[in-house]
């Protein structure tokens, strides 16, 4: 095991050796895993000033945005496809290059007729009628809230972000807690939907992790006056306290089905755990979460995440115990028995976010 010898920079350097170009990172050249990973490098660059991290991000942007501001491989058919455009917003903010602004505006156009439910909640994808996934809020709002801050349409972007977070909370909240089910189906038509509530059956760690991340990101990016107009800060604090209640105090991690510790075959999920660690650290840095209990939780989780990072015979650092691409499932058994993958793409990026946050602090980018 790597123990405390591992740090964010060493992990990031090893990943660049394995994936010299970010568009070779699994599983597509343009999709949310690239965006998720690259935000880890953006934060490392902002904290350390190391130009190789900036170059890694900008090389990707230059490969995908042509001289006219068109984005290679961008379709806008799902929220997953939108997430990586948040990196293009950063590239525009960083360089002032007008082609990146044009690229951002191209992505913004997708929201004008993107499909919604009657309550305005975005569909996860155009091929999934009526389905809202907690994953999707991260994918869409990582772009939208930053577009409002750094490009244009501040009022629309902040209002829409608050609306989407409020809708998903109202639709997916479990038993008046801060925990959210994985998804909601308008009309209860999806095979996984409860016939009364329309919700999926379980609180999946990575799904809840995406929600935890985007709550933290929106609170950090959006001005204080907008935060005060909403309830999302309250939802953030509710979720944080719920997470402390279900954290395994022994190893510091959280379970694949978050609120069922000790249930058969339920395991500690590295991906969701790293996301929760980032969210808690961000909350402390923003001054939203105050008190020794949060600091202790962060310390335990950091130690737990390090225990899931191992150096292999190939000399690379590998992340254990997470799943790749787990869509909404119909019952508990599928969630806990889904095949675990070494170096699951979401887990690797989540670990980079978490290590960077704990070791170097978070910011308002």
């Amino acid at each position: 095991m790597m123990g405390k010898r591992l740090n964010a920079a060493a992990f990031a350097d090893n990943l660049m050796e394995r994936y010299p170009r970010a568009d070779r990172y699994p599983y597509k050249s343009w999709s949310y895993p690239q965006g998720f990973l690259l935000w880890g490098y953006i934060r490392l660059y902002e904290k350390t000033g190391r130009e190789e991290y900036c170059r890694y991000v900008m090389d990707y942007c230059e490969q995908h945005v042509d001289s006219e501001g068109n984005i290679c491989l961008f379709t806008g058919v799902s929220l997953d496809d939108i997430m990586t455009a948040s990196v293009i917003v950063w590239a525009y903010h960083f360089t002032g290059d007008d082609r990146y602004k044009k690229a951002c505006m191209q992505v913004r156009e997708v929201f004008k007729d993107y499909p919604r439910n009657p309550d305005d909640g975005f569909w996860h994808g155009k091929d999934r009628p009526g389905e809202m996934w907690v994953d999707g809020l991260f994918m869409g709002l990582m772009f939208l809230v930053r577009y409002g801050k750094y490009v244009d349409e501040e009022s629309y972007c902040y209002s829409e972000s608050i609306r989407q977070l409020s809708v998903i909370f109202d639709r997916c909240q479990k038993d008046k807690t801060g925990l959210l089910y994985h998804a909601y189906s308008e009309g209860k038509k999806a095979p996984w939907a409860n016939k009364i509530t329309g919700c999926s059956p379980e609180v999946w760690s990575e799904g809840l992790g995406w929600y935890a991340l985007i709550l933290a990101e929106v609170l950090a990016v959006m001005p204080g006056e907008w935060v005060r107009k909403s309830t999302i800060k309250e939802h953030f604090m509710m979720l944080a306290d719920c997470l402390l209640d279900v954290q395994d105090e022994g190893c510091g991690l959280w379970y694949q089905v978050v609120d069922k510790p000790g249930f058969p075959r339920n395991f500690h999920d590295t991906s969701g755990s790293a996301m929760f660690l980032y969210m808690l650290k961000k909350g402390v840095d923003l001054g939203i979460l105050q008190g020794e209990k949060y600091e202790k939780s962060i310390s335990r989780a950091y130690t737990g995440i390090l225990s899931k990072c191992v150096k292999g015979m190939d000399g690379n650092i590998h992340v254990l115990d997470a799943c790749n691409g787990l869509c909404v499932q119909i019952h508990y058994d599928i969630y806990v028995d889904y095949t675990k993958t070494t170096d699951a793409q979401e887990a690797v990026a989540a670990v980079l976010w978490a290590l960077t946050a704990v070791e170097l602090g978070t910011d308002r980018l």
Side-chain angles (χ1 to χ4, degrees):
M1 292 188 181
M2 297 296 298
K4 292 190 177 181
R5 291 172 293 174
L6 175 64
N7 59 43
F11 188 43
D13 293 348
N14 183 247
L15 289 172
M16 286 195 299
E17 291 174 6
R18 294 165 66 186
Y19 308 105
R21 293 174 54 185
D23 64 353
R24 297 299 179 91
Y25 186 71
Y27 70 114
K28 295 179 181 179
S29 178
W30 176 276
S31 191
Y32 72 90
Q34 277 74 29
F36 194 25
L37 179 73
L38 288 170
W39 270 105
Y41 282 94
I42 290 170
R43 294 195 166 105
L44 271 173
Y45 168 66
E46 294 287 347
K47 292 296 183 181
T48 68
R50 286 179 55 180
E51 289 296 329
E52 58 266 42
Y53 297 147
C54 181
R55 187 74 259 154
Y56 193 64
V57 176
M58 290 308 304
D59 282 349
Y60 181 85
C61 296
E62 289 166 7
Q63 290 160 12
H64 284 271
V65 180
D66 67 19
S67 60
E68 301 300 317
N70 300 305
I71 304 176
C72 175
L73 303 178
F74 173 73
T75 66
V77 299
S78 73
L79 295 176
D80 285 351
D81 197 53
I82 289 170
M83 188 269 156
T84 300
S86 63
V87 177
I88 307 300
V89 177
W90 180 83
Y92 170 63
H93 175 61
F94 179 69
T95 66
D97 190 329
D98 195 55
R99 66 187 171 119
Y100 293 129
K101 182 177 183 180
K102 291 177 181 177
C104 294
M105 294 172 68
Q106 175 188 344
V107 177
R108 164 65 182 94
E109 285 296 305
V110 171
F111 287 95
K112 290 186 175 179
D113 61 357
Y114 193 83
R116 302 167 180 255
N117 285 337
D119 59 10
D120 277 339
F122 292 142
W123 295 3
H124 188 70
K126 293 182 179 180
D127 62 342
R128 297 184 181 276
E131 295 186 22
M132 282 194 79
W133 297 12
V134 288
D135 322 24
L137 272 292
F138 177 83
M139 306 306 169
L141 301 189
M142 276 290 288
F143 169 81
L144 198 61
V145 73
R146 288 178 171 83
Y147 184 90
K149 182 165 186 176
Y150 298 115
V151 184
D152 197 10
E153 296 183 274
E154 182 180 45
S155 180
Y156 162 73
C157 291
Y158 294 161
S159 296
E160 188 68 81
S161 296
I162 291 170
R163 178 185 299 113
Q164 295 301 320
L165 287 167
S166 298
V167 169
I168 202 76
F169 182 86
D170 291 343
R171 292 301 191 183
C172 292
Q173 183 188 21
K174 180 176 182 179
D175 301 332
K176 297 184 178 180
T177 66
L179 302 177
L180 269 62
Y181 289 110
H182 187 179
Y184 166 79
S185 172
E186 180 70 21
K188 295 83 173 174
K189 295 178 181 179
W192 41 260
N194 182 288
K195 299 308 178 186
I196 297 174
T197 66
C199 291
S200 58
E202 301 294 351
V203 179
W204 173 45
S205 61
E206 191 180 289
L208 187 66
W210 293 123
Y211 171 69
L213 292 181
I214 198 57
L215 273 179
E217 293 298 285
V218 170
L219 285 168
V221 173
M222 203 162 55
E225 61 268 24
W226 281 90
V227 173
R228 288 189 290 273
K229 293 178 184 177
S230 75
T231 58
I232 59 173
K233 182 177 177 181
E234 177 185 336
H235 297 166
F236 182 93
M237 296 172 69
M238 288 175 64
L239 175 58
D241 287 339
C242 286
L243 289 174
L244 264 58
D245 288 341
V246 293
Q247 183 181 22
D248 188 323
E249 292 190 5
C251 68
L253 301 175
W254 286 267
Y255 285 88
Q256 171 80 337
V257 177
V258 175
D259 58 340
K260 292 184 176 178
F263 275 54
R265 303 183 312 286
N266 205 1
F267 63 91
H268 297 113
D269 170 48
T270 304
S271 185
S273 294
M275 294 174 176
F276 299 146
L277 172 54
Y278 177 88
M279 175 253 193
L280 292 170
K281 183 59 166 65
K282 189 91 167 184
V284 169
D285 288 353
L286 291 172
I288 297 172
L289 304 178
Q290 300 179 11
E292 186 179 2
K293 64 179 181 179
Y294 299 111
E295 298 287 358
K296 287 183 175 179
S297 175
I298 289 166
S299 179
R300 286 195 298 265
Y302 179 63
T303 300
I305 291 299
L306 289 175
S307 76
K308 295 296 185 180
C309 301
V310 302
K311 190 170 185 177
M313 296 294 291
D314 58 1
N316 291 318
I317 301 164
H318 298 287
V319 177
L320 307 180
D321 295 335
C323 303
N324 258 342
L326 202 166
C327 296
V328 188
Q329 301 299 331
I330 62 174
H331 55 69
Y332 171 88
D333 289 341
I334 299 179
Y335 280 101
V336 298
D337 292 333
Y338 203 86
T339 302
K340 287 182 278 186
T341 303
T342 298
D343 296 329
Q345 61 214 17
E346 296 89 348
V348 168
V351 167
L352 182 59
W353 277 44
L355 296 183
T356 302
V358 174
E359 295 163 14
L360 301 174
T362 61
D363 48 45
R364 291 181 173 271
L365 283 173

